[in-house]
Amino acid sequence: MISEYQEGTEGLRSEVKDKYDPKKTSSKGLALTIGTFDGVHIGHQLLLRTTRDIAESRELESSAYTYELPPKRYLGEQGPPLLMEPRRKIDLLGDYVQRVVLGNFLEVKDLAPEQFVERVLVNELNVKAVVVGDDWRFGRNRTGSYRDLEDLSRGRFTVHPKKQLKKQGRPVSSTWVRQLLSEGNIALVTELLGRYPVFSGEVLKGDKIGSDIGFPTANVDIDDRVALPRGGSYAALAKVDDRHLKSAVHVGSRPSFDDSDDHRLEVHLLDFEGELYGKRLEVEFVKYLGESKKYDAKRKLREAISDYVTEAKRVLNEPKWSDSSF
């Protein structure tokens, strides 16, 4: 398992080497925030914006240090599912800072806190300011805190701890976002992410059951490491070939047929005709419409799907959807 994730990391790093090379020292010095950043939720965004502000005020290069995957996955543990594909996470981080440093967890996991500071922050990255959450831990066995970082800085860089952002009296976290997705609470997920949740993948050939009952669907293959929302139907927006299309989406098992639970989305694009096989589709979830039910008669299934499609059209039939938030 370790070699699998290491290979994936190296592949991603090689694709973005010029922009994300962790050993490319900044001549100006870095204002750096550090974290896993799974989901890039509003708590992460606070750290990123703070880093950017410090960089601008001190004429530094704004940057984020992260790993492709959460540390547990490099250690052979399954860990929780991801909120997004690693490549999308890195692209989102790049929307906030000038540079994303893709670290190699296997190279640094056994470093003591003082070794991580000297080798990575000072010698490799020329860090001048570090922004972290006040619950952040680092070094071998997570033994270091932001207070240790302050002690180890020795005047070479400043440390800026930030209190964990809260919503409804609860700290915003990737764990909470995953919980809400499993409940189908898209409204609150959207508040915590600062955007609608997006899932993407390649369109694969399906069994054409949707076409047979009058509602053709694009079967979108989702990275099996990524957490899907609660099973059921959703109103959504889909992007393909720079086109933004209103959609009704089904997630999860198909109890009226084989009850299979492939890691995919079945996307019915409203008012669309064309070939999608082999293309990449991004699906932005807007609202949960209802759970999947079993129908013994094809007619009743067709009526149920028609109702979901009608409801999806109603939800999306507002002026604000003339332009997607992609």
Side-chain angles (χ1 to χ4, degrees), residues 199-310:
F199 300 87
S200 60
E202 181 181 348
V203 177
L204 304 179
K205 288 190 176 183
D207 46 26
K208 297 188 180 297
I209 290 176
S211 297
D212 291 344
I213 58 177
F215 296 96
T217 59
N219 294 281
V220 182
D221 186 38
I222 303 299
D223 188 326
D224 61 11
R225 298 172 298 180
V226 174
L228 288 181
R230 175 184 179 182
S233 297
Y234 293 80
L237 297 165
K239 177 182 176 183
V240 60
D241 293 339
D242 295 323
R243 296 181 63 185
H244 299 94
L245 303 164
K246 297 173 184 179
S247 310
V249 180
H250 177 261
V251 178
S253 63
R254 302 181 299 174
S256 297
F257 298 98
D258 52 11
D259 207 30
S260 63
D261 192 15
D262 295 332
H263 211 69
R264 66 180 181 181
L265 309 178
E266 294 181 287
V267 184
H268 174 65
L269 301 169
L270 309 180
D271 304 317
F272 172 83
E273 291 184 6
E275 184 61 69
L276 292 173
Y277 294 137
K279 293 186 177 182
R280 189 167 186 83
L281 198 67
E282 292 186 357
V283 185
E284 186 179 46
F285 282 59
V286 173
K287 184 178 181 181
Y288 177 68
L289 301 180
E291 62 183 357
S292 303
K293 297 180 181 179
K294 184 173 183 177
Y295 298 93
D296 295 326
K298 185 178 290 188
R299 175 182 59 82
K300 289 189 176 294
L301 174 62
R302 186 185 298 113
E303 289 174 354
I305 294 176
S306 178
D307 288 343
Y308 282 132
V309 170
T310 299

